[in-house]
Amino acid sequence: QGLSLSLSGYDQRLPELAALVADSLRTFDVAPLAFERQRDGLLRQLRGADKRQPVEQAAYRRNLALETPRYTNEQLAAGLEKATLPQVLGLQRRLLPEVEVEALLCGNVAEGQATQLVLKLLNALGSRPLPVARRPVRRVRVLPAGERTLQQFVAASQAEVNSATEVYFQVGGDEADDWVLLTLLSQLMSKAFYSELRTKQQLGYIVQCSANEIDGVRGLSFLVQSKVAAPEAVEERIEAFLRLFRGTLLLLGEAEVQSYAASIAAQFTDVDGRLDQQAGRLWAECTRRRYDFERPWRSAEKVKRLTREQLIAFFDRHVASGSPTRRQLSTHVYAQSMAPPQLRVQLPGDDFYPAPRDLLLV
């Protein structure tokens, strides 16, 4: 529920460009042909989404189950089909009557110039301030502890011969050392997971283990796309790998853990090589309303202090088979030739993580 503007170019002309764009939002001409072309393009994109690779569909279904509010591609396409040019023009005229503007200016610009640019933008918009109570917030569902939540789907394309399996373990918000422990664990597991399920077992070409973040909630995802094994069989292989990997962790020496940690610390601080990279990193902090602009360097110091015991305890709490505190969401996307007669779709309850603390309101 918002509008994002991104402007780049010569510093001395950016205030004029920003004012021009803001002033034109409610007045630029929307030609009927342009409207039809844009709508048709969006409809094709939404209708073609279920033709994407099963691994992409699995990640989409995971996010759909966990986030709210979030709309399916079918819901968006149905709404878009009903949209008319008069409706769009009406929306344009009443666009942003109330607004909260957040701006980031990155580059060779002085504080006074930045303030002038934002003021020009605000004056051109002419909107009233958006009350804090009306600020849209997307929330993330808490998966039940010690349980496996399962959702199964069938690929829409008859020509699709691959199935996908994603096993996702929800870790939680950005608390204590959990983020750096998750990063360290995912990097330790990634190569071993690929080696076991791709190289040795040859289950499929796409075999991935990665840490991710959904609106401030962190998790660990194991993803396999295969045409030789059905998702339930692949999930059994993933669980077998997890049992095997705990033994690998127990054999790790403290020196090996510190070596991995030093490598990750170097990756954390290898940022801002180009201005657009720096702007993207800083804007990500703004969109999460976290504003921790020194985060890479703080995280690097944190990860260097991690110990083998902390890593094993984190694994046992969030990933190990049989853990009473493990929160798991398994998503199966079947090729039509592999689909079972009945599909199971278990939905998480309506227990939500608290919205991330907005540091602008502190």
Side-chain angles (χ1 to χ4, degrees):
Q1 298 180 19
L3 182 67
S4 178
L5 299 177
S6 178
L7 308 172
S8 61
Y10 293 107
D11 300 332
Q12 68 271 21
R13 302 302 301 274
L14 280 182
E16 299 172 46
L17 178 59
L20 176 64
V21 170
D23 195 44
S24 302
L25 286 175
R26 296 191 184 94
T27 59
F28 75 91
D29 182 49
V30 182
L33 183 61
F35 167 78
E36 294 294 341
R37 185 166 56 244
Q38 288 293 330
R39 188 179 68 165
D40 289 348
L42 286 172
L43 278 172
R44 283 195 300 273
Q45 181 179 337
L46 290 167
R47 289 169 178 162
D50 61 1
K51 304 295 193 300
R52 293 174 182 167
Q53 288 197 96
V55 287
E56 296 179 73
Q57 296 181 44
Y60 159 72
R61 292 292 182 179
R62 175 241 299 157
N63 289 341
L64 202 61
L66 294 178
E67 292 178 296
T68 185
R70 188 180 175 102
Y71 302 99
T72 66
N73 293 323
E74 293 78 11
Q75 289 172 319
L76 294 172
L80 190 57
E81 283 179 336
K82 299 176 183 177
T84 65
L85 180 57
Q87 287 176 324
V88 171
L89 294 175
L91 174 66
Q92 183 188 24
R93 286 191 295 271
R94 63 178 187 275
L95 186 66
L96 303 177
E98 295 179 334
V99 68
E100 178 182 271
V101 174
E102 185 162 12
L104 170 71
L105 285 86
C106 187
N108 185 23
V109 57
E111 181 179 351
Q113 294 173 306
T115 302
Q116 181 187 24
L117 189 152
V118 175
L119 287 175
K120 281 190 174 184
L121 186 64
L122 290 172
N123 290 334
L125 287 172
S127 305
R128 300 186 301 276
L130 178 71
V132 172
R134 299 248 296 280
R135 180 183 294 163
V137 176
R138 181 176 282 173
R139 305 174 70 191
V140 179
R141 290 182 171 86
V142 179
L143 292 171
E147 297 181 21
R148 167 183 177 253
T149 303
L150 173 65
Q151 51 176 3
Q152 298 176 317
F153 306 93
V154 179
S157 173
Q158 291 184 345
E160 182 59 70
V161 297
N162 291 290
S163 298
T165 307
E166 185 190 61
V167 178
Y168 168 81
F169 299 113
Q170 194 175 60
V171 172
D174 190 7
E175 298 177 2
D177 292 332
D178 278 0
W179 169 232
V180 288
L181 281 164
L182 177 61
T183 304
L184 177 57
L185 181 63
S186 69
Q187 294 216 10
L188 281 167
M189 298 186 82
S190 182
K191 289 183 180 179
F193 185 62
Y194 184 88
S195 175
E196 179 63 30
L197 273 72
R198 168 69 185 95
T199 306
K200 294 180 182 178
Q201 300 186 27
Q202 297 190 357
L203 289 181
Y205 285 103
I206 300 177
V207 175
Q208 300 171 351
C209 165
S210 61
N212 56 40
E213 180 177 2
I214 305 172
D215 292 312
V217 175
R218 307 292 169 75
L220 183 65
S221 175
F222 296 86
L223 189 59
V224 177
Q225 181 166 292
S226 175
K227 64 180 179 181
V228 299
E232 58 269 19
V234 171
E235 186 169 345
E236 289 175 5
R237 306 283 186 94
I238 293 173
E239 286 288 356
F241 167 79
L242 295 179
R243 291 190 292 271
L244 182 68
F245 189 79
R246 191 181 189 281
T248 302
L249 279 182
L250 292 175
L251 293 174
L252 270 182
E254 194 67 53
E256 289 179 275
V257 173
Q258 291 305 313
S259 176
Y260 274 104
S263 175
I264 291 171
Q267 293 173 33
F268 278 150
T269 55
D270 185 19
V271 294
D272 302 348
R274 301 194 312 265
L275 181 60
D276 60 336
Q277 293 174 333
Q278 183 185 43
R281 178 180 69 81
L282 298 177
W283 185 241
E285 290 292 326
C286 296
T287 57
R288 292 180 174 90
R289 309 191 80 86
R290 194 167 55 197
Y291 309 102
D292 187 1
F293 300 124
E294 301 301 313
R295 186 179 186 81
W297 295 273
R298 288 197 312 102
S299 297
E301 291 305 312
K302 274 188 174 184
V303 78
K304 290 176 185 177
R305 295 194 295 267
L306 296 182
T307 66
R308 172 180 172 274
E309 286 70 25
Q310 284 179 290
L311 189 63
I312 294 172
F314 181 85
F315 178 89
D316 287 345
R317 189 165 62 251
H318 295 293
V319 183
S321 297
S323 168
T325 54
R326 186 171 83 166
R327 303 179 187 273
Q328 176 182 348
L329 174 63
S330 296
T331 304
H332 299 169
V333 179
Y334 289 89
Q336 292 188 14
S337 60
M338 286 189 175
Q342 280 192 316
L343 299 174
R344 294 175 59 190
V345 179
Q346 299 172 309
L347 297 177
D350 284 331
D351 185 16
F352 296 94
Y353 283 98
R357 188 174 59 154
D358 187 341
L359 294 183
L360 280 186
L361 301 179
V362 175

